[in-house]
């Protein structure tokens, strides 16, 4: 009788059953993957989430009220767990709670449908208006409140204000060192040989920068994508401005002269780079300029031919001298205007040795470094530094880091030391002190150093000061001991006079990939601010060793040690993948040695700082910096022989391209890649890129903000300000502004250097991975020059654009 009187179960809406199936399937997947994570020593939350989803999905087939209440309780627990792990940091919260919130919202939306499927007189219709739905609505509402609160704060920002302006610069005194450069000109990659990327122009200020407009645009016609181009074909040039002309080079080595005020092309020189080249990179970061002997002579105007010179290093290892007036080679330099950089070089292979960075020019010398292939073999070329007579191209001295005492010109028939550490980036020079400062790289292979000599160990990953007259080593400061992480010194040293504890110090500021700003006395290399030797993880691969300690500067952007809770993903699913991957890798903090298991390297070899370096205001003693943090993975692959290709991540080489990371002749190949989820997003939480202001006189970071959006990195062009890396350096001006175009979202931005606020931005037609510069036009206006051509390794949009911005004419 009781069975007859019992209410007949109401039919379950098909949408509820579909949701139940989704929860059931996802629950089992999460339970399995979460169980794997827990077995690796990770969080149990994902396994428990999977169990909860499976139970709720099963309830959706008949006990709908209990399913709604169960999901509400699950969501509240997830909210509490997320706040415990991430605090009020929106992007980590969103990754943890986004999917559960959407599923909960769908479930809540189904409640009215569930009620309509019940008979009119069924008491459960009343129950649907009470606890289950209300509890779920309250839980979802609590997350909305938490989200709104988290949007009002940024846990990664450091607020501060730079000290007041320094003393005014006396008229005629060059604040940026080296030879005096007219205020409205830009004579070297970093404006002068001091590499400060600072201009004394002050026409554009935070008050009027919003009125900047595009004044002219020039298209070079040189875009990556030609047959034989390597992946890293890039437009990274910072043009020079001399007199009324701009001088620049393109990725495929064409040299151009433009009218600085109108952008009109004046001449073009093609060096006719020939043959198939085994290039790892194809770029030209800039030219170098030698002023005429008579400083009053107008550059390239009425002066004799080649009284001034432009120097262009080519991809086929020539150093060409050009007449700025005509673009023609200078016949008195080398052989018909060129020096062969293959002279004395071992292991000759076209394209395997060349210079991607502008050379150093002094009154008497032109000094050249070069790049060699990373991790291709142990039989690469030499990293020798050579100084040539600036008029004749005759070799004056050579400094080989593996044979540092032999600086006399190499006799004919002999070769430099193969595989010695090189200097591929931009060097700086102080002619008054008679020193040239070189950032040094590693001996290949980067990730295994079991056979490095004592000389190689001393000079790898260091900044060295060489005597201009003789090439002899004056001092060396090592930024990484026994480098196994490709932490070569990538950035141009910045020379600036600082006032530290009341004493004026001729300083050198060296940014590094691992995030240090080492401030050294450039006379002797001694640290100006403390450098601490900190214990480092041990346990290198077979046949190798690790240094017991590593140097850390008082000014450091060293990222904190990653924890599981610091991992990220667009959804909780790829975050779970990242957590599993994290626990499968070896990781003991910074300087975790590469391993056959696979090691997590944070920061990775992309670097906190790279070739863009930093910008320094020499009057105020402040720096504008662009720290980035992206973790990489590094796995050593034991080699069976010297012919098999083991690293297939980027496919086999084609044409003349080398087999990268194979390390032929070493015990291990190396497999390196960014630490990303299957969706291609970093496994560490944003921000991945920031801008920061540093008071160099006091040795402290004053402010720091996340920088840039994912507009050009995500499938949907959403300008979400997560903070993205940049590649390409900043520019500072006496007007109180900094400019940066290298962020991965195709914008050029202006910042107030006092507090780091963005005060202007303009959309670029391609990636701007180059360092901007500024100059004075013939019309009296200050111009901002930006090159937008993209970068192959970062995947930004290619182009061939040279853009000049200025204030409206009055």
């Amino acid at each position: 009788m009781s069975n007859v009187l019992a209410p007949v179960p109401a039919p379950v809406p098909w949408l509820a059953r579909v949701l139940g199936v989704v929860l059931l399937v996802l629950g089992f997947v999460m339970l399995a993957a979460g169980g794997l994570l827990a077995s690796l020593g990770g969080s149990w939350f994902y396994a428990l989430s999977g169990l909860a989803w499976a139970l709720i999905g099963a309830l959706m087939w008949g006990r709908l009220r209990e399913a709604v209440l169960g999901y509400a309780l699950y969501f509240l627990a997830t909210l509490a767990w997320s706040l415990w792990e991430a605090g009020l940091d929106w992007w980590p919260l969103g990754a943890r709670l986004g999917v559960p919130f959407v599923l909960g919202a769908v479930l809540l939306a189904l409640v009215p449908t569930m009620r309509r499927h019940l008979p009119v007189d069924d008491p459960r219709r009343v129950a649907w208006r009470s606890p289950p739905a209300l509890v779920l609505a309250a839980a979802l509402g609590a997350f909305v409140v938490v989200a709104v609160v988290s949007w009002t704060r940024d846990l990664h920002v450091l607020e501060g204000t730079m000290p007041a302006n320094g003393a005014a610069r006396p008229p005629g005194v060059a604040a940026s060192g080296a030879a005096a450069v007219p205020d409205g000109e830009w004579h070297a990659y970093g404006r002068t040989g001091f590499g400060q990327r600072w201009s004394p122009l002050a026409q554009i200020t935070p008050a009027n920068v919003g009125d900047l407009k595009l004044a002219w645009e020039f298209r070079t016609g040189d875009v990556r994508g030609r047959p034989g181009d390597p992946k890293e074909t890039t437009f990274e040039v910072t043009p020079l401005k001399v007199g009324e002309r701009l001088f620049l080079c393109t990725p495929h080595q064409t040299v151009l002269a433009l009218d600085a005020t109108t952008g009109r092309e004046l001449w073009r020189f093609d060096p006719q780079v020939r043959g198939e080249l085994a290039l790892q990179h194809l770029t030209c970061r800039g030219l170098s300029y030698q002023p005429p002997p008579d400083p009053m002579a107008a550059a390239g105007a009425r002066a004799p031919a080649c009284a001034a010179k432009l120097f262009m290093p080519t991809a086929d290892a020539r150093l060409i001298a050009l007449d700025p007036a005509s673009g023609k080679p200078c016949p008195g330099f080398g052989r018909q205007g060129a020096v062969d950089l293959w002279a004395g070089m071992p292991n000759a292979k076209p394209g395997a040795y060349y210079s991607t960075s502008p050379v150093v020019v002094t009154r008497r010398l032109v000094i050249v470094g070069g790049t060699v292939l990373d991790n291709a073999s142990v039989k690469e070329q030499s990293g020798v530094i050579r100084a040539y007579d600036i008029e004749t191209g005759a070799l004056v001295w050579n400094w080989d880091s593996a044979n540092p005492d032999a600086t006399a010109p190499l006799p004919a028939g002999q070769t430099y030391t193969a595989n010695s550490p090189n200097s591929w980036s931009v060097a700086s020079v102080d002619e008054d002190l008679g020193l040239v400062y070189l950032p040094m790289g590693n001996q290949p292979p980067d990730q295994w150093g079991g056979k490095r000599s004592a000389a190689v160990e001393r000079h790898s990953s260091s900044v060295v000061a060489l005597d201009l007259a003789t090439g002899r080593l004056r001092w060396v400061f090592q930024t990484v001991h026994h480098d196994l992480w490709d932490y070569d010194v990538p950035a141009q040293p910045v020379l600036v006079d600082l006032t530290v504890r009341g004493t004026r110090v001729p300083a050198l500021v060296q940014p590094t990939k691992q995030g240090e700003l080492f401030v050294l006395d450039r006379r002797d290399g001694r640290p100006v601010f403390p450098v601490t030797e900190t214990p480092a993880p041990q346990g290198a691969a077979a046949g190798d060793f690790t240094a017991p300690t590593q140097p850390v500067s008082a000014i450091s952007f060293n990222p904190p040690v990653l924890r599981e809770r610091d991992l990220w993903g667009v959804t909780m699913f790829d975050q779970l993948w990242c957590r599993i991957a994290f626990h499968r890798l070896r990781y003991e903090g910074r300087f975790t040695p590469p391993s056959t298991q696979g090691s997590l390297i944070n920061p990775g070899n992309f670097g906190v700082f790279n070739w863009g370096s930093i910008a320094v205001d020499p009057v105020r003693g402040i720096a504008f910096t662009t720290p980035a943090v992206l973790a990489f993975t590094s796995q050593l692959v034991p080699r069976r022989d010297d012919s098999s290709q083991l690293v297939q991540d980027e496919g086999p080489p084609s044409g003349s391209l080398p087999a990268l990371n194979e390390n032929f002749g070493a015990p291990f190949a190396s497999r390196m890649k960014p630490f990303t989820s299957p969706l291609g997003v970093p496994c560490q939480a944003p921000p991945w890129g920031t801008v920061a202001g540093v008071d160099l006189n006091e040795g402290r970071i004053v402010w720091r903000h996340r920088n840039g959006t994912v507009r050009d990195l995500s499938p949907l062009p959403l300008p979400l300000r997560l903070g993205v890396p940049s590649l390409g350096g900043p520019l500072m001006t006496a007007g109180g502004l900094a400019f940066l175009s290298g962020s991965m979202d195709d914008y050029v931005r202006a910042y107030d250097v006092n507090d780091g606020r963005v005060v202007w931005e303009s959309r670029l037609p391609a990636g701007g991975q180059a360092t901007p510069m500024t100059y004075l036009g013939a019309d009296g206006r200050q111009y901002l020059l930006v090159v937008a051509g993209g970068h192959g390794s970062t995947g930004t949009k290619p182009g061939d654009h040279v853009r000049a911005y200025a204030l409206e004419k009055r």
Side-chain angles (χ1 to χ4, degrees), residues 103-126:
L103 292 173
V106 171
L107 182 57
L108 187 62
L110 286 176
V111 167
T113 303
M114 297 172 182
R115 291 182 66 245
R116 285 195 296 269
H117 278 72
L118 295 172
V120 175
D121 58 348
D122 195 312
R124 288 174 293 178
R125 289 180 63 91
V126 177

Side-chain angles (χ1 to χ4, degrees), residues 639-660:
R639 293 208 62 84
R640 299 182 301 273
D641 53 55
D642 285 343
S643 59
S644 303
Q645 186 183 354
L646 304 181
V647 183
Q648 301 285 343
D649 298 333
E650 298 185 12
S654 60
S656 60
L657 296 178
L660 300 179

Side-chain angles (χ1 to χ4, degrees), residues 260-283:
T261 307
T262 66
R264 179 174 62 90
E265 182 176 327
L266 301 175
W267 56 254
R268 178 181 292 241
F269 171 77
D270 183 351
Q272 300 293 318
V273 174
R274 294 178 295 273
E276 285 198 346
L277 304 179
L279 295 171
Q280 189 170 354
H281 317 272
L282 180 57
T283 191

